[in-house]
Protein backbone atom coordinates (compact mmCIF):
# COMPACT_ATOMS: atom_id res chain seq x y z
CA UNK A 1 0.00 0.00 0.00
CA UNK A 2 2.84 2.40 0.84
CA UNK A 3 4.47 1.70 -2.52
CA UNK A 4 1.18 2.28 -4.34
CA UNK A 5 0.63 5.62 -2.60
CA UNK A 6 4.21 6.62 -3.35
CA UNK A 7 3.74 5.82 -7.04
CA UNK A 8 0.46 7.74 -7.24
CA UNK A 9 1.97 10.84 -5.61
CA UNK A 10 4.95 10.82 -7.98
CA UNK A 11 2.67 10.35 -11.00
CA UNK A 12 0.45 13.27 -9.94
CA UNK A 13 3.43 15.57 -9.42
CA UNK A 14 4.86 14.63 -12.81
CA UNK A 15 1.49 15.26 -14.51
CA UNK A 16 1.28 18.77 -13.04
CA UNK A 17 4.81 19.41 -14.36
CA UNK A 18 6.71 19.47 -11.07
CA UNK A 19 10.45 19.05 -11.82
CA UNK A 20 11.47 15.39 -11.72
CA UNK A 21 13.91 15.81 -8.81
CA UNK A 22 11.26 17.31 -6.54
CA UNK A 23 8.55 14.94 -7.79
CA UNK A 24 10.77 12.11 -6.51
CA UNK A 25 12.10 13.83 -3.40
CA UNK A 26 8.84 15.04 -1.80
CA UNK A 27 6.97 11.71 -1.78
CA UNK A 28 10.16 9.86 -0.80
CA UNK A 29 10.67 12.04 2.26
CA UNK A 30 6.97 11.65 3.14
CA UNK A 31 7.37 7.86 2.90
CA UNK A 32 10.41 7.97 5.20
CA UNK A 33 8.44 9.96 7.79
CA UNK A 34 5.34 7.72 7.66
CA UNK A 35 7.47 4.56 7.88
CA UNK A 36 9.45 5.92 10.81
CA UNK A 37 12.74 5.85 8.90
CA UNK A 38 15.49 8.10 10.24
CA UNK A 39 16.61 11.09 8.20
CA UNK A 40 20.17 9.82 8.71
CA UNK A 41 19.35 6.79 6.57
CA UNK A 42 18.00 9.06 3.84
CA UNK A 43 21.07 11.28 3.95
CA UNK A 44 23.42 8.28 3.76
CA UNK A 45 21.55 6.97 0.72
CA UNK A 46 21.84 10.35 -1.01
CA UNK A 47 25.49 11.03 -0.16
CA UNK A 48 26.58 7.51 -1.15
CA UNK A 49 25.00 7.98 -4.58
CA UNK A 50 26.59 11.39 -5.13
CA UNK A 51 29.98 10.47 -3.67
CA UNK A 52 30.84 7.92 -6.33
CA UNK A 53 34.31 8.57 -7.84
CA UNK A 54 33.25 7.57 -11.39
CA UNK A 55 30.54 10.27 -11.25
CA UNK A 56 33.28 12.87 -10.94
CA UNK A 57 33.77 12.42 -14.68
CA UNK A 58 30.27 13.81 -15.34
CA UNK A 59 30.96 17.49 -14.50
CA UNK A 60 34.32 17.27 -16.28
CA UNK A 61 32.76 15.94 -19.50
CA UNK A 62 30.04 18.58 -19.25
CA UNK A 63 32.73 21.25 -18.87
CA UNK A 64 34.63 19.77 -21.81
CA UNK A 65 31.60 20.00 -24.09
CA UNK A 66 30.78 23.53 -22.96
CA UNK A 67 34.37 24.68 -23.53
CA UNK A 68 34.38 23.11 -27.00
CA UNK A 69 31.20 25.01 -27.81
CA UNK A 70 32.49 28.38 -26.60
CA UNK A 71 35.81 27.79 -28.34
CA UNK A 72 33.95 27.70 -31.65
CA UNK A 73 34.75 24.06 -32.40
CA UNK A 74 31.17 23.33 -33.49
CA UNK A 75 31.42 26.12 -36.07
CA UNK A 76 34.75 24.77 -37.37
CA UNK A 77 33.39 21.24 -37.70
CA UNK A 78 30.40 22.56 -39.63
CA UNK A 79 32.60 24.60 -41.97
CA UNK A 80 34.90 21.61 -42.59
CA UNK A 81 32.08 19.14 -43.28
CA UNK A 82 30.33 21.62 -45.56
CA UNK A 83 33.51 22.23 -47.55
CA UNK A 84 34.24 18.52 -48.00
CA UNK A 85 30.65 17.61 -48.98
CA UNK A 86 29.98 20.73 -51.08
CA UNK A 87 29.27 18.79 -54.29
CA UNK A 88 26.89 16.27 -52.69
CA UNK A 89 23.20 16.91 -53.26
CA UNK A 90 21.51 17.46 -49.91
CA UNK A 91 24.93 18.04 -48.40
CA UNK A 92 23.66 20.01 -45.39
CA UNK A 93 21.67 16.99 -44.21
CA UNK A 94 24.80 14.83 -44.25
CA UNK A 95 26.80 17.68 -42.72
CA UNK A 96 24.36 17.78 -39.77
CA UNK A 97 24.95 14.08 -39.12
CA UNK A 98 28.73 14.22 -39.64
CA UNK A 99 29.18 17.30 -37.47
CA UNK A 100 27.17 15.65 -34.70
CA UNK A 101 29.48 12.63 -34.85
CA UNK A 102 32.54 14.87 -34.62
CA UNK A 103 31.18 17.02 -31.81
CA UNK A 104 29.91 13.95 -29.91
CA UNK A 105 33.51 12.94 -29.20
CA UNK A 106 33.76 16.05 -27.04
CA UNK A 107 30.29 16.79 -25.67
CA UNK A 108 28.64 13.53 -24.54
CA UNK A 109 25.32 15.38 -24.23
CA UNK A 110 22.44 15.52 -26.72
CA UNK A 111 21.23 18.85 -25.34
CA UNK A 112 24.68 20.45 -25.73
CA UNK A 113 24.94 19.07 -29.27
CA UNK A 114 21.46 20.31 -30.24
CA UNK A 115 22.12 23.79 -28.85
CA UNK A 116 25.66 24.24 -30.19
CA UNK A 117 25.09 22.85 -33.69
CA UNK A 118 21.44 23.73 -34.20
CA UNK A 119 21.97 27.47 -33.99
CA UNK A 120 24.53 27.21 -36.84
CA UNK A 121 23.13 24.47 -39.04
CA UNK A 122 19.39 25.09 -39.02
CA UNK A 123 19.58 28.73 -40.28
CA UNK A 124 22.05 27.62 -42.98
CA UNK A 125 19.68 24.86 -44.11
CA UNK A 126 16.70 27.20 -44.22
CA UNK A 127 18.67 29.71 -46.32
CA UNK A 128 19.62 26.90 -48.72
CA UNK A 129 15.98 25.97 -49.36
CA UNK A 130 15.54 23.00 -47.04
CA UNK A 131 12.13 22.58 -45.43
CA UNK A 132 11.91 23.64 -41.80
CA UNK A 133 10.70 20.24 -40.65
CA UNK A 134 13.61 18.51 -42.35
CA UNK A 135 16.16 20.99 -40.97
CA UNK A 136 14.95 20.81 -37.37
CA UNK A 137 14.27 17.06 -37.52
CA UNK A 138 17.70 15.99 -38.78
CA UNK A 139 19.50 18.29 -36.34
CA UNK A 140 17.45 17.13 -33.36
CA UNK A 141 17.81 13.43 -34.22
CA UNK A 142 21.55 13.74 -34.97
CA UNK A 143 22.14 15.11 -31.48
CA UNK A 144 21.18 11.70 -30.04
CA UNK A 145 24.51 10.35 -31.28
CA UNK A 146 26.33 12.38 -28.59
CA UNK A 147 25.03 10.49 -25.51
CA UNK A 148 25.69 7.14 -27.23
CA UNK A 149 29.11 7.80 -28.75
CA UNK A 150 31.84 7.94 -26.08
CA UNK A 151 32.60 9.94 -24.05
CA UNK A 152 28.95 9.56 -23.05
CA UNK A 153 27.60 11.11 -19.85
CA UNK A 154 24.76 8.53 -19.52
CA UNK A 155 27.37 5.76 -19.99
CA UNK A 156 29.45 7.18 -17.13
CA UNK A 157 26.36 7.24 -14.91
CA UNK A 158 25.33 3.69 -15.89
CA UNK A 159 28.83 2.31 -15.36
CA UNK A 160 29.03 3.91 -11.92
CA UNK A 161 25.64 2.52 -10.88
CA UNK A 162 26.28 -0.96 -12.31
CA UNK A 163 29.88 -1.12 -11.04
CA UNK A 164 31.22 -2.10 -14.48
CA UNK A 165 34.12 -0.83 -16.60
CA UNK A 166 33.35 2.56 -18.12
CA UNK A 167 35.97 1.90 -20.80
CA UNK A 168 34.27 -1.35 -21.82
CA UNK A 169 30.88 0.39 -22.02
CA UNK A 170 32.45 3.19 -24.08
CA UNK A 171 33.95 0.64 -26.49
CA UNK A 172 30.65 -1.23 -26.81
CA UNK A 173 28.85 2.00 -27.70
CA UNK A 174 31.05 2.95 -30.66
CA UNK A 175 29.55 0.60 -33.27
CA UNK A 176 25.89 1.34 -32.35
CA UNK A 177 26.63 5.09 -32.47
CA UNK A 178 28.23 4.80 -35.93
CA UNK A 179 25.30 2.68 -37.14
CA UNK A 180 22.93 5.39 -35.91
CA UNK A 181 24.86 7.90 -38.04
CA UNK A 182 24.69 5.62 -41.08
CA UNK A 183 20.95 5.13 -40.56
CA UNK A 184 20.38 8.88 -40.34
CA UNK A 185 22.30 9.35 -43.60
CA UNK A 186 20.03 6.79 -45.27
CA UNK A 187 16.96 8.73 -44.13
CA UNK A 188 18.53 11.98 -45.38
CA UNK A 189 19.18 10.35 -48.77
CA UNK A 190 15.56 9.20 -49.08
CA UNK A 191 14.06 12.54 -48.04
CA UNK A 192 16.42 14.63 -50.18
CA UNK A 193 15.38 12.68 -53.29
CA UNK A 194 11.81 13.90 -52.70
CA UNK A 195 12.83 17.56 -52.74
CA UNK A 196 14.00 18.64 -56.22
CA UNK A 197 14.66 22.20 -55.01
CA UNK A 198 17.77 21.12 -53.12
CA UNK A 199 20.82 21.65 -55.31
CA UNK A 200 24.50 20.75 -55.11
CA UNK A 201 27.02 23.28 -53.84
CA UNK A 202 30.32 24.41 -55.34
CA UNK A 203 33.49 22.62 -54.26
CA UNK A 204 36.34 24.97 -53.37
CA UNK A 205 39.80 23.50 -52.82
CA UNK A 206 41.05 26.48 -50.83
CA UNK A 207 38.03 26.35 -48.53
CA UNK A 208 38.71 22.67 -47.88
CA UNK A 209 42.33 23.40 -46.98
CA UNK A 210 41.47 26.37 -44.77
CA UNK A 211 38.69 24.54 -42.91
CA UNK A 212 40.92 21.48 -42.43
CA UNK A 213 43.50 23.60 -40.62
CA UNK A 214 40.80 24.74 -38.21
CA UNK A 215 39.77 21.23 -37.13
CA UNK A 216 43.13 19.44 -36.90
CA UNK A 217 43.85 20.42 -33.29
CA UNK A 218 40.28 19.95 -31.96
CA UNK A 219 39.95 16.53 -33.57
CA UNK A 220 42.95 15.28 -31.61
CA UNK A 221 40.69 15.43 -28.53
CA UNK A 222 38.87 12.10 -29.10
CA UNK A 223 42.20 10.34 -29.66
CA UNK A 224 43.42 11.65 -26.31
CA UNK A 225 40.22 10.78 -24.43
CA UNK A 226 39.18 7.51 -26.05
CA UNK A 227 42.71 6.36 -26.77
CA UNK A 228 43.69 7.05 -23.18
CA UNK A 229 40.67 5.22 -21.72
CA UNK A 230 40.63 2.24 -24.08
CA UNK A 231 44.42 1.94 -23.92
CA UNK A 232 44.36 1.84 -20.13
CA UNK A 233 46.39 5.04 -19.78
CA UNK A 234 43.63 7.06 -18.04
CA UNK A 235 40.55 6.38 -16.02
CA UNK A 236 37.47 8.11 -17.53
CA UNK A 237 37.72 10.82 -14.86
CA UNK A 238 41.39 11.44 -15.61
CA UNK A 239 40.71 11.41 -19.36
CA UNK A 240 37.98 14.03 -18.90
CA UNK A 241 40.36 16.24 -16.93
CA UNK A 242 43.09 15.89 -19.57
CA UNK A 243 40.52 16.65 -22.28
CA UNK A 244 39.48 19.86 -20.51
CA UNK A 245 43.09 21.03 -20.27
CA UNK A 246 43.70 20.19 -23.93
CA UNK A 247 40.61 22.08 -25.16
CA UNK A 248 41.65 25.06 -23.06
CA UNK A 249 45.07 25.01 -24.73
CA UNK A 250 43.47 24.68 -28.17
CA UNK A 251 41.21 27.64 -27.45
CA UNK A 252 44.20 29.73 -26.34
CA UNK A 253 46.44 28.70 -29.26
CA UNK A 254 43.71 29.33 -31.84
CA UNK A 255 42.60 32.48 -30.00
CA UNK A 256 39.01 31.31 -30.11
CA UNK A 257 38.25 31.10 -26.39
CA UNK A 258 37.86 34.46 -24.64
CA UNK A 259 37.71 35.03 -20.90
CA UNK A 260 34.01 35.76 -21.29
CA UNK A 261 33.51 32.45 -23.11
CA UNK A 262 35.49 30.58 -20.45
CA UNK A 263 33.38 32.05 -17.64
CA UNK A 264 30.19 31.27 -19.56
CA UNK A 265 31.36 27.65 -19.94
CA UNK A 266 32.05 27.45 -16.20
CA UNK A 267 28.58 28.82 -15.40
CA UNK A 268 26.84 26.43 -17.81
CA UNK A 269 28.75 23.46 -16.44
CA UNK A 270 27.96 24.30 -12.82
CA UNK A 271 24.24 24.72 -13.53
CA UNK A 272 24.02 21.52 -15.60
CA UNK A 273 26.01 19.50 -13.08
CA UNK A 274 23.90 20.80 -10.20
CA UNK A 275 20.70 19.81 -12.03
CA UNK A 276 22.03 16.31 -12.72
CA UNK A 277 23.25 15.79 -9.16
CA UNK A 278 19.92 16.89 -7.65
CA UNK A 279 18.21 14.31 -9.86
CA UNK A 280 20.77 11.65 -8.87
CA UNK A 281 20.22 12.43 -5.17
CA UNK A 282 16.42 12.31 -5.30
CA UNK A 283 16.34 9.23 -7.53
CA UNK A 284 18.81 7.39 -5.28
CA UNK A 285 16.57 8.02 -2.26
CA UNK A 286 13.58 6.69 -4.19
CA UNK A 287 15.71 3.73 -5.27
CA UNK A 288 16.49 2.97 -1.62
CA UNK A 289 12.76 2.94 -0.86
CA UNK A 290 12.00 0.64 -3.79
CA UNK A 291 14.72 -1.74 -2.64
CA UNK A 292 13.29 -1.67 0.90
CA UNK A 293 9.88 -2.58 -0.53
CA UNK A 294 11.52 -5.52 -2.37
CA UNK A 295 10.54 -4.23 -5.81
CA UNK A 296 13.61 -5.83 -7.51
CA UNK A 297 12.59 -9.26 -6.20
CA UNK A 298 8.97 -8.70 -7.21
CA UNK A 299 9.98 -7.69 -10.72
CA UNK A 300 12.38 -10.65 -11.01
CA UNK A 301 9.54 -13.05 -10.21
CA UNK A 302 7.28 -11.17 -12.64
CA UNK A 303 9.76 -11.34 -15.52
CA UNK A 304 10.45 -15.04 -14.99
CA UNK A 305 6.72 -15.71 -14.87
CA UNK A 306 6.50 -14.22 -18.36
CA UNK A 307 9.58 -15.73 -20.00
CA UNK A 308 12.92 -17.41 -19.44
CA UNK A 309 14.31 -16.05 -22.74
CA UNK A 310 16.99 -13.33 -22.30
CA UNK A 311 16.08 -11.77 -25.66
CA UNK A 312 12.47 -11.30 -24.56
CA UNK A 313 13.69 -9.83 -21.26
CA UNK A 314 15.82 -7.28 -23.14
CA UNK A 315 12.85 -6.42 -25.36
CA UNK A 316 10.64 -5.84 -22.31
CA UNK A 317 13.34 -3.74 -20.63
CA UNK A 318 13.70 -1.67 -23.83
CA UNK A 319 9.95 -1.12 -23.97
CA UNK A 320 9.97 -0.01 -20.34
CA UNK A 321 12.80 2.43 -21.05
CA UNK A 322 11.04 3.80 -24.14
CA UNK A 323 7.85 4.43 -22.15
CA UNK A 324 9.58 5.96 -19.11
CA UNK A 325 11.82 8.06 -21.35
CA UNK A 326 8.82 9.96 -22.69
CA UNK A 327 7.88 11.33 -19.26
CA UNK A 328 10.97 11.24 -17.02
CA UNK A 329 14.53 12.53 -17.38
CA UNK A 330 16.98 9.87 -18.56
CA UNK A 331 19.36 10.41 -15.63
CA UNK A 332 16.59 9.81 -13.11
CA UNK A 333 15.50 6.65 -14.93
CA UNK A 334 19.03 5.25 -14.95
CA UNK A 335 19.47 5.86 -11.21
CA UNK A 336 16.13 4.17 -10.57
CA UNK A 337 16.10 1.19 -12.92
CA UNK A 338 19.75 0.12 -13.09
CA UNK A 339 19.85 -1.25 -9.50
CA UNK A 340 16.54 -2.98 -10.21
CA UNK A 341 17.28 -4.43 -13.66
CA UNK A 342 20.91 -5.43 -13.05
CA UNK A 343 20.15 -8.44 -10.80
CA UNK A 344 17.42 -9.54 -13.21
CA UNK A 345 19.76 -9.25 -16.19
CA UNK A 346 22.38 -11.35 -14.42
CA UNK A 347 19.74 -14.00 -13.67
CA UNK A 348 19.00 -14.15 -17.41
CA UNK A 349 22.70 -14.26 -18.26
CA UNK A 350 22.61 -10.88 -20.00
CA UNK A 351 25.91 -9.00 -20.01
CA UNK A 352 25.55 -5.69 -18.09
CA UNK A 353 27.33 -3.86 -20.94
CA UNK A 354 24.68 -5.01 -23.44
CA UNK A 355 21.98 -3.89 -21.01
CA UNK A 356 23.69 -0.51 -20.68
CA UNK A 357 23.99 0.14 -24.42
CA UNK A 358 20.37 -0.89 -24.98
CA UNK A 359 19.02 1.25 -22.12
CA UNK A 360 21.00 4.34 -23.13
CA UNK A 361 19.82 4.29 -26.76
CA UNK A 362 16.22 3.56 -25.70
CA UNK A 363 16.20 6.39 -23.19
CA UNK A 364 17.73 8.86 -25.63
CA UNK A 365 14.78 8.36 -27.98
CA UNK A 366 12.70 9.92 -25.21
CA UNK A 367 14.59 13.18 -25.74
CA UNK A 368 12.67 13.53 -29.01
CA UNK A 369 9.23 12.67 -27.65
CA UNK A 370 6.76 14.93 -25.82
CA UNK A 371 5.95 15.88 -23.13
CA UNK A 372 9.51 15.92 -21.67
CA UNK A 373 11.55 15.83 -24.92
CA UNK A 374 14.38 18.14 -23.86
CA UNK A 375 16.03 18.10 -27.29
CA UNK A 376 12.71 19.04 -28.91
CA UNK A 377 12.44 22.16 -26.77
CA UNK A 378 16.08 23.13 -27.28
CA UNK A 379 15.84 22.70 -31.05
CA UNK A 380 12.56 24.62 -31.12
CA UNK A 381 14.15 27.45 -29.15
CA UNK A 382 17.29 27.81 -31.29
CA UNK A 383 15.32 27.57 -34.55
CA UNK A 384 12.29 29.60 -33.40
CA UNK A 385 10.01 26.75 -34.46
CA UNK A 386 6.97 25.25 -32.75
CA UNK A 387 7.74 22.12 -30.71
CA UNK A 388 5.05 20.16 -32.55
CA UNK A 389 6.65 20.93 -35.89
CA UNK A 390 10.08 19.85 -34.65
CA UNK A 391 8.55 16.61 -33.36
CA UNK A 392 6.88 15.85 -36.70
CA UNK A 393 10.13 16.59 -38.49
CA UNK A 394 11.99 14.23 -36.13
CA UNK A 395 9.68 11.25 -36.60
CA UNK A 396 11.34 9.72 -39.70
CA UNK A 397 14.77 10.25 -38.13
CA UNK A 398 13.77 8.25 -35.03
CA UNK A 399 13.57 5.07 -37.11
CA UNK A 400 17.36 4.38 -37.16
CA UNK A 401 17.56 4.63 -33.35
CA UNK A 402 14.68 2.19 -32.92
CA UNK A 403 16.30 -0.19 -35.43
CA UNK A 404 19.60 -0.03 -33.51
CA UNK A 405 17.81 -0.92 -30.26
CA UNK A 406 16.31 -3.98 -31.99
CA UNK A 407 19.71 -4.98 -33.38
CA UNK A 408 21.35 -4.69 -29.94
CA UNK A 409 18.65 -6.95 -28.49
CA UNK A 410 18.93 -9.55 -31.28
CA UNK A 411 22.72 -9.51 -31.69
CA UNK A 412 24.30 -8.80 -28.26
CA UNK A 413 27.55 -10.50 -29.29
CA UNK A 414 28.06 -7.83 -31.95
CA UNK A 415 27.89 -5.19 -29.21
CA UNK A 416 30.53 -7.05 -27.20
CA UNK A 417 32.89 -7.57 -30.15
CA UNK A 418 34.92 -4.36 -29.75
CA UNK A 419 35.38 -4.49 -25.94
CA UNK A 420 36.41 -8.14 -26.21
CA UNK A 421 38.81 -7.38 -29.04
CA UNK A 422 40.39 -4.63 -26.95
CA UNK A 423 40.53 -6.92 -23.91
CA UNK A 424 38.26 -4.72 -21.80
Amino acid sequence: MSLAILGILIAVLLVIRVPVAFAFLGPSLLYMMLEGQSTGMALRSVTNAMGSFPLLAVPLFIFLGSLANHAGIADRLFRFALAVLARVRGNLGYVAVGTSVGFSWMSGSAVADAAALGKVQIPAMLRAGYKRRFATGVNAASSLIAPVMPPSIPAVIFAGLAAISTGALFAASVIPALLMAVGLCVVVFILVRRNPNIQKGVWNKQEVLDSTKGVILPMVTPFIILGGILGGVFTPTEAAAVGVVYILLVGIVQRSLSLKGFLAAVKESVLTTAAIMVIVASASLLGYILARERLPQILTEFFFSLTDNPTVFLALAALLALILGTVIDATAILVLVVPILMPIALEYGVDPIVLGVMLIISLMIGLLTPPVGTVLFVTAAVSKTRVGEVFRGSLPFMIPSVVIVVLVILFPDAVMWLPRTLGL
Side-chain angles (χ1 to χ4, degrees):
M1 182 62 69
S2 298
L3 198 59
I5 294 172
L6 180 69
I8 292 170
L9 287 175
I10 291 173
V12 170
L13 292 175
L14 289 173
V15 167
I16 62 176
R17 305 301 294 273
V18 172
V20 172
F22 301 107
F24 285 176
L25 188 60
S28 297
L29 290 175
L30 179 62
Y31 170 94
M32 299 288 284
M33 292 171 57
L34 294 178
E35 292 293 318
Q37 293 290 302
S38 66
T39 55
M41 183 68 72
L43 288 174
R44 280 195 295 273
S45 174
V46 170
T47 54
N48 287 341
M50 297 178 66
S52 169
F53 179 75
L55 282 182
L56 183 59
V58 172
L60 289 171
F61 279 127
I62 292 172
F63 189 34
L64 174 63
S66 188
L67 280 175
N69 182 21
H70 285 280
I73 292 175
D75 296 346
R76 290 195 184 90
L77 288 172
F78 173 73
R79 182 187 173 193
F80 170 73
L82 184 59
V84 172
L85 298 174
R87 299 175 73 173
V88 178
R89 186 167 178 269
N91 57 350
L92 284 174
Y94 302 109
V95 165
V97 178
T99 308
S100 290
V101 173
F103 197 66
S104 70
W105 287 323
M106 288 167 269
S107 72
S109 165
V111 174
D113 191 308
L117 300 177
K119 65 184 179 183
V120 177
Q121 294 175 162
I122 295 174
M125 296 179 79
L126 296 177
R127 288 193 301 269
Y130 291 77
K131 294 180 180 178
R132 184 173 289 272
R133 283 189 185 179
F134 178 90
T136 55
V138 69
N139 278 276
S142 297
S143 70
L144 300 191
I145 297 172
V148 180
M149 179 73 78
S152 158
I153 292 172
V156 172
I157 294 173
F158 181 93
L161 294 168
I164 62 173
S165 166
T166 306
L169 185 55
F170 277 2
S173 302
V174 171
I175 293 177
L178 292 176
L179 289 176
M180 285 175 64
V182 172
L184 288 171
C185 288
V186 171
V187 177
V188 169
F189 176 79
I190 294 171
L191 295 181
V192 164
R193 286 173 62 88
R194 298 179 180 178
N195 189 350
N197 295 325
I198 297 176
Q199 303 298 322
K200 298 179 181 179
V202 179
W203 192 80
N204 185 307
K205 181 180 178 180
Q206 189 59 46
E207 177 64 14
V208 172
L209 293 175
D210 291 343
S211 62
T212 301
K213 293 176 185 176
V215 299
I216 289 176
L217 289 178
M219 289 313 296
V220 174
T221 310
F223 293 98
I224 294 175
I225 295 175
L226 300 185
I229 294 173
L230 301 181
V233 179
F234 306 129
T235 66
T237 304
E238 292 167 346
V242 172
V244 166
V245 173
Y246 180 76
I247 287 294
L248 276 173
L249 293 175
V250 169
I252 293 171
V253 170
Q254 295 186 333
R255 298 182 180 180
S256 58
L257 182 64
S258 64
L259 178 60
K260 182 179 179 181
F262 173 78
L263 294 177
V266 171
K267 182 180 178 180
E268 289 174 7
S269 302
V270 169
L271 292 175
T272 304
T273 301
I276 289 176
M277 289 306 171
V278 169
I279 292 173
V280 169
S282 60
S284 65
L285 178 58
L286 179 58
Y288 165 79
I289 293 171
L290 297 180
R292 185 176 184 271
E293 292 288 341
R294 299 187 71 254
L295 185 62
Q297 292 84 350
I298 294 171
L299 285 179
T300 300
E301 294 172 4
F302 171 73
F303 274 113
F304 274 99
S305 70
L306 294 176
T307 180
D308 57 0
N309 189 317
T311 302
V312 177
F313 160 71
L314 280 174
L316 292 173
L319 182 62
L320 176 66
L322 287 168
I323 294 172
L324 291 177
T326 62
V327 292
I328 304 177
D329 180 85
T331 301
I333 298 172
L334 285 173
V335 177
L336 276 178
V337 305
V338 171
I340 294 173
L341 291 181
M342 271 293 294
I344 305 175
L346 294 175
E347 287 287 337
Y348 277 101
V350 173
D351 194 295
I353 293 174
V354 174
L355 178 67
V357 174
M358 184 275 296
L359 280 179
I360 290 169
I361 301 174
S362 301
L363 291 175
M364 292 311 107
I365 296 172
L367 295 175
L368 290 181
T369 54
V372 175
T374 313
V375 167
L376 287 181
F377 289 98
V378 170
T379 304
V382 299
S383 63
K384 298 180 181 178
T385 307
R386 294 191 304 274
V387 173
E389 190 168 1
V390 178
F391 174 62
R392 285 189 289 272
S394 302
L395 283 174
F397 294 102
M398 288 187 198
I399 297 172
S401 296
V402 176
V403 170
I404 298 304
V405 171
V406 174
L407 291 176
V408 169
I409 292 171
L410 295 179
F411 305 104
D413 286 340
V415 175
M416 295 302 299
W417 174 79
L418 187 56
R420 286 171 180 166
T421 301
L422 296 173
L424 298 173

